[in-house]
Amino acid sequence: MPGEASSASRPHATRWPIKGRATWPLMKGASWSLAVALVSVALSVSPFAVPDGASWVLRSTPTALKLRVTRSTTLAPPVVVVDGDAANRGILSIARNAATELAPLRGWVNNAAMVGMGTLHEADPEMVSRLFQLNVEGYFWGCSEAVRTFLDQRTGGAIVNISSFQARAAFPGWVAYAMSKAAVHGLTRNVAAEYGRAGIRANAVEPGAISTPWNSDNIARQAHPETIRAEMEGLSPLGRMGEASEI
């Protein structure tokens, strides 16, 4: 979604292609299964998805799944794991530095998010505050790290924000989460409009109901889990929940 920036803040429009290896930091949060799927799929088709090769930088915590990623990339470009809070600006900077030490930055994926339910009349202040910190501020400062690096390098680049269909659709009990995803939609459009002339692309992916551990656990906790699962499956034209590997 390239666009026109104001003349006062328009970035340098010259593109300086970089040959050789490239790095793609992936900031992950609650949806570790999606993070693993994103890396696995991208690396399996890396000659197509990233023509010059890629080194992925992850923010992660679970040791077992970290080893899973390591094993899956034995013969692929290296995966560097950076532990920390994806809403922390210092951690985002560390991830950016880890990536650029390997190769020029060419892309950035914001996938870290917290899932939380609630209503306006029964809101949990601590949950809402943490959700906005991770889902909104984390994405904002992640995009900031990526954009500043692309401009310093005088290269184009790509930002992918993993969002949700709740950025456009409203469901009872999801007010804070839906608001955070609508913010990601607005952020993505603004990045594209502001920096498109510098060759920086920004896109948001808005999945529907995906079969993740969080969703499976949430369904199992319901009084009528099969009914809830059927309702979630009915949201998709395919008549089923999506898989992380399909995103």
Side-chain angles (χ1 to χ4, degrees), residues 87 89 92 108 136-146 148 187:
R89 293 178 63 185
L92 294 172
W108 185 286
V136 179
E137 293 183 31
Y139 276 51
F140 181 95
W141 293 116
C143 286
S144 176
E145 289 285 347
R148 287 188 289 111
L187 170 65

Side-chain angles (χ1 to χ4, degrees), residues 121-138:
H121 66 282
E122 294 179 331
D124 179 342
E126 291 186 6
M127 185 276 289
V128 172
S129 178
R130 176 57 181 160
L131 186 148
F132 286 152
Q133 183 183 40
L134 185 59
N135 295 17
V136 179
E137 293 183 31

Side-chain angles (χ1 to χ4, degrees), residues 65-135:
L65 291 174
K66 178 168 67 175
L67 293 176
R68 176 181 173 185
V69 173
T70 302
R71 288 197 301 270
S72 72
T73 61
T74 301
L75 301 177
V79 174
V80 176
V81 180
V82 177
D83 287 320
D85 185 346
N88 184 298
R89 293 178 63 185
I91 294 298
L92 294 172
S93 179
I94 290 172
R96 187 273 310 273
N97 290 336
T100 54
E101 286 178 1
L102 294 171
L105 186 71
R106 295 303 298 272
W108 185 286
V109 181
N110 285 311
N111 181 53
M114 172 181 171
V115 181
M117 299 183 66
T119 62
L120 287 172
H121 66 282
E122 294 179 331
D124 179 342
E126 291 186 6
M127 185 276 289
V128 172
S129 178
R130 176 57 181 160
L131 186 148
F132 286 152
Q133 183 183 40
L134 185 59
N135 295 17

Side-chain angles (χ1 to χ4, degrees), residues 18-26 43 50 52-58 77-80 95-109 146 149-150 153 155-159:
I18 292 181
K19 300 299 182 183
R21 302 187 61 78
T23 49
W24 280 71
L26 166 62
L43 290 178
V50 188
D52 298 325
S55 299
W56 293 78
V57 177
L58 296 168
V79 174
V80 176
R96 187 273 310 273
N97 290 336
T100 54
E101 286 178 1
L102 294 171
L105 186 71
R106 295 303 298 272
W108 185 286
V109 181
T149 304
F150 296 147
Q153 294 176 165
T155 65
I159 295 173

Side-chain angles (χ1 to χ4, degrees), residues 205-224:
V205 179
E206 299 178 351
I210 303 299
S211 182
T212 62
W214 190 95
N215 274 331
S216 296
D217 291 344
N218 185 51
I219 291 172
R221 290 194 299 267
Q222 304 304 312
H224 304 285

Side-chain angles (χ1 to χ4, degrees), residues 135-216:
N135 295 17
V136 179
E137 293 183 31
Y139 276 51
F140 181 95
W141 293 116
C143 286
S144 176
E145 289 285 347
V147 166
R148 287 188 289 111
T149 304
F150 296 147
L151 294 178
D152 289 344
Q153 294 176 165
R154 294 192 175 185
T155 65
I159 295 173
V160 179
N161 291 324
I162 306 299
S163 182
S164 166
F165 74 136
Q166 291 207 44
R168 303 169 185 263
F171 299 91
W174 290 90
V175 59
Y177 182 77
M179 181 177 172
S180 73
K181 294 306 179 181
V184 171
H185 180 77
L187 170 65
T188 306
R189 291 174 62 89
N190 187 270
V191 171
E194 185 81 17
Y195 301 103
R197 289 177 63 87
I200 298 174
R201 296 177 289 112
N203 291 277
V205 179
E206 299 178 351
I210 303 299
S211 182
T212 62
W214 190 95
N215 274 331
S216 296

